[in-house]
Amino acid sequence: MGVITLDGGRLTGSDASISYRGSYIQEGDAFTADIQTSRHADGPPSIFGIDELDIQVVGTSKARTASCRGTVKQRPNIPFEVVLVRISS
C-alpha cells in the first residue's frame, strides 16, 4: 500500500520503500497516468522484480474509488490492475 497525491496534473507519492512521480490527465470520470518509480529505502522487491519502472495506467474514477489497468514498459507481458481509495479531498 502507498499514498499518491494528485494535484493539477502532477502525481507524487510513495510506499515504505518506493517513490512515485509522474503526470495524469482526467476527462470526466476517465483518466490516464504516466508514472515513474524509484527506490528510496531498503525493503522487499517490487512486484515486478525491479525498482526503476515506467508505468502507464488507464482507468475510471468514482466518488471514493478509482479502478485502473496498467502496463510496465520494462515488463510488458505483465498487465496489472489497481484500485485507489480516496482518503482526502
Side-chain angles (χ1 to χ4, degrees):
M1 294 186 133
V3 175
I4 295 174
T5 300
L6 304 172
D7 185 22
R10 294 192 54 193
L11 177 151
T12 58
S14 69
D15 60 27
S17 53
I18 303 290
S19 295
Y20 318 110
R21 66 192 176 290
S23 61
Y24 70 94
I25 297 171
Q26 184 165 358
E27 295 179 1
D29 292 343
F31 67 90
T32 60
D34 292 307
I35 306 162
Q36 294 78 43
T37 67
S38 59
R39 180 165 294 276
H40 67 83
D42 289 338
S46 79
I47 61 172
F48 298 102
I50 55 177
D51 299 332
E52 306 288 327
L53 300 171
D54 296 299
I55 301 169
Q56 292 184 319
V57 297
V58 175
T60 305
S61 62
K62 297 180 182 175
R64 302 269 317 145
T65 63
S67 300
C68 55
R69 295 176 184 227
T71 57
V72 174
K73 179 180 176 183
Q74 294 81 359
R75 299 284 193 259
N77 295 327
I78 306 176
F80 66 94
E81 294 183 17
V82 176
V83 174
L84 306 169
V85 178
R86 183 183 307 266
I87 58 174
S88 179
S89 294

